[in-house]
Amino acid sequence: MDREHYTKRSHKFPIEELTREAKAALKERGVTLQDIAKIVYQLQSAYVEELELETCMYHVTKVLEKREVVHAILTGIAIDKMVEEDRFPEPINTIIKHDEGLFGIDEILPLSIINLYGSIGLTNFGYLDKEKIGIIRELDRTKDNTVNTFLDDLIAAVAAAAASRLAHSV
Ligand code: MG
């Protein structure tokens, strides 16, 4: 994104641009909105009669229209990528790269997403952290040099937030 272009005009990035950036960043890391919607479906299909994947997609899309959500996604993915390229100082580069137990910041950052959508979001986030379903499990199993320490928790948070949004809409 051309930062100067926007700061000259308004000192702020328009939310539409930010959302586009977040979607592009997710896609670049191998995650589609469909992947996230499938998790939402798994979380909510037992509670919402005749739930359709399309409805889940809608709520995922709405979650991604919030600035706080985009900020968390772009921050987390930037950290993952920089750690992947060994551009963080030690010892924190190695700690994040190996997602060491008790690092925990990867679970704290996405709380800024969860906090927007009430307690159903929080309980679902905890559930997904333990159960790791769908794309979250796939990311967890990635064994090459890719670092997804923050990404998996961000996905869980977006899915949990969308599930909460959906639950409150019916
Ligand atoms: Mg993680």
Side-chain angles (χ1 to χ4, degrees):
M1 193 186 289
D2 182 358
R3 188 178 306 223
E4 266 188 26
H5 174 72
Y6 284 113
T7 46
K8 266 184 214 149
R9 283 195 324 187
S10 65
H11 302 283
K12 258 188 201 171
F13 295 113
I15 184 62
E16 295 81 9
E17 288 289 336
L18 289 177
T19 299
R20 224 175 295 150
E21 289 288 327
K23 286 179 186 172
L26 289 169
K27 198 173 169 202
E28 193 204 322
R29 304 300 285 176
V31 180
T32 66
L33 300 196
Q34 185 102 359
D35 292 327
I36 306 176
K38 281 183 193 162
I39 300 172
V40 178
Y41 183 86
Q42 285 196 53
L43 289 172
Q44 290 305 122
S45 59
Y47 309 105
V48 181
E49 251 179 77
E50 292 176 29
L51 179 62
E52 289 183 3
L53 194 60
E54 210 177 308
T55 310
C56 300
M57 273 292 269
Y58 170 75
H59 289 284
V60 170
T61 307
K62 293 311 268 183
V63 169
L64 291 174
E65 287 173 8
K66 293 264 187 195
R67 267 176 206 277
E68 295 95 321
V69 174
V70 173
H71 293 159
I73 290 172
L74 294 180
T75 304
I77 290 179
I79 295 172
D80 278 349
K81 285 173 73 172
M82 288 183 75
V83 166
E84 208 169 274
E85 296 161 6
D86 293 325
R87 289 165 69 196
F88 261 43
E90 291 298 356
I92 201 64
N93 201 88
T94 298
I95 291 170
I96 298 174
K97 189 180 271 190
H98 298 287
D99 201 358
E100 281 189 19
L102 299 186
F103 170 59
I105 313 299
D106 50 332
E107 278 114 47
I108 301 300
L109 175 76
L111 292 182
S112 62
I113 298 174
I114 294 300
N115 284 344
L116 296 170
Y117 292 96
S119 59
I120 297 175
L122 189 60
T123 49
N124 275 326
F125 182 60
Y127 172 78
L128 288 175
D129 185 44
K130 282 213 177 315
E131 292 302 319
K132 302 194 191 303
I133 56 178
I135 185 75
I136 300 171
R137 179 163 295 275
E138 282 174 45
L139 291 172
D140 199 48
R141 284 181 177 163
T142 308
K143 283 282 177 276
D144 55 12
N145 278 337
T146 315
V147 174
N148 288 326
T149 300
F150 279 84
L151 183 62
D152 59 347
D153 298 290
L154 289 166
I155 303 305
V158 171
S164 186
R165 197 178 189 283
L166 189 142
H168 285 288
S169 73
V170 289

